[in-house]
Each structure stands twice: as C-alpha cells, then as structure tokens.
Amino acid sequence: MKQKTGGMGTKNTILLTVVFLIWALGSPCFAQQTRPLPIYPQSSQVRPDSTEGDRARELYKLARKENRALQWDSCLANKAFQRAKRLVAQHYFEHEDPKTGVNPVWKTVSSCIPERSRGSSVPAGENMTKGIDTPANIHRALMESPTHRANILDRRFNHMGVGCYDYICVELFAGY
C-alpha cells in the first residue's frame, strides 16, 4: 500500500501563500486610497503658465504665416485660455456646451469687440485642439482639416487669440 506524500505539503503551501498575499495587500503600501484622485489637475490658474503661453504664441505665429491679416488680440487670447481651461475642468471637448447645445464662443468673442464695431455683424470662428504635441504638429493637423483650415485662411478674420491649457488649445478668430 502506497501512501500519498506531498498532498498535505502542497495544500499548506497554497494556504500560506494566500494568507501572505492577503496580509501584504492589506498593508499600507498596497492599501487603496479612501478618496478618489481627480482625473485632471485642478488649478485656480487665471493666466497661462509660460509653457502654455509659448505654445499659444507659436500657434498664432504659424497661423499668421498662412494669413497675414491676423493680428494678435489679447482679449481673444484671454477668452481662448479661459475656454480651454473650462473644457478641461468640465471634461468635454465640443464646440457646443453639452448642457445648452449652444456654442458659447459667439458671446465670448462679442465681449472683445471694440465699441466702434458693436452693432454690426462681426464674423467669428473657433478652432480647438486636444492632445499634447508641438505647435508645428498641431498647426499641421489644423491645416489638414478643411474646416479648421478655412478659419485660419478666412480673410474676414483680422484678429486672433490663442489660449492653451493643459492638453487643449483654442484659437478664436474675429473680424472687426
């Protein structure tokens, strides 16, 4: 009569391994956090940091090479930065606000129009980009898109502001 050996040893090894894993995963270095981490960094930043500002300025320079009529507009740049920041904070990337279905850009652009041009119809446009890349690559992608390219080349637009925040850049155009 042969006796089975190792059966009890294998069971003990498995049991010890399971107990060890339960202990190890419960230790502080493996413990789950009790509060969720934010998906995106939240910031009270009012103006772009130097990297975001540099990226925005470079996007403007590249657009200006395509359309010499475009002039930098600080008001539009500030509004574009605020728009990019809001898109990141609210976790959406659409021209239209998901709650209202309205593009808030037209109202935003109109707030930058000088008094002398108010009351007349002012053309406005918006380009948005998502993702971290070089300004040259972002501009190349915009120029390969017919609708974005049309905004950059539209001679009715003579003012432009660009704002970048985190992974989103917004180009605002106006003609006044």
Side-chain angles (χ1 to χ4, degrees):
M1 196 170 184
K2 280 192 167 177
Q3 196 176 25
K4 291 185 180 179
T5 58
M8 212 45 175
T10 303
K11 286 182 183 178
N12 284 341
T13 303
I14 292 172
L15 180 61
L16 283 174
T17 303
V18 168
V19 169
F20 175 76
L21 287 173
I22 291 171
W23 172 81
L25 293 174
S27 71
C29 64
F30 288 101
Q32 291 183 341
Q33 294 197 8
T34 58
R35 60 183 171 76
L37 294 173
I39 294 173
Y40 301 101
Q42 301 299 313
S43 169
S44 58
Q45 175 181 352
V46 178
R47 295 218 178 277
D49 67 24
S50 62
T51 304
E52 293 164 337
D54 291 347
R55 193 164 32 143
R57 279 293 209 179
E58 186 61 28
L59 282 170
Y60 162 72
K61 288 176 186 174
L62 292 166
R64 179 144 164 74
K65 286 181 181 178
E66 308 288 346
N67 180 351
R68 301 299 288 169
L70 294 172
Q71 299 298 313
W72 179 261
D73 188 296
S74 295
C75 181
L76 290 175
N78 184 45
K79 299 294 183 179
F81 171 74
Q82 294 301 325
R83 173 107 164 110
K85 185 176 174 183
R86 192 169 37 257
L87 290 169
V88 169
Q90 294 177 358
H91 311 292
Y92 78 95
F93 185 74
E94 299 290 331
H95 290 285
E96 291 81 25
D97 184 301
K99 294 175 187 163
T100 64
V102 175
N103 188 336
V105 170
W106 314 124
K107 188 174 184 180
T108 300
V109 168
S110 69
S111 69
C112 290
I113 298 171
E115 285 293 323
R116 62 180 159 67
S117 299
R118 292 195 183 184
S120 60
S121 177
V122 173
E126 173 185 58
N127 287 348
M128 299 178 353
T129 66
K130 181 178 178 181
I132 302 295
D133 207 339
T134 65
N137 286 341
I138 292 170
H139 180 72
R140 187 176 310 110
L142 289 169
M143 292 304 288
E144 289 173 359
S145 162
T147 54
H148 295 101
R149 179 184 181 87
N151 278 340
I152 293 170
L153 298 178
D154 192 332
R155 296 292 180 191
R156 296 176 304 152
F157 299 143
N158 55 7
H159 289 81
M160 179 183 186
V162 183
C164 297
Y165 181 77
D166 198 357
Y167 60 93
I168 291 180
C169 290
V170 175
E171 297 178 338
L172 294 179
F173 302 89
Y176 51 82

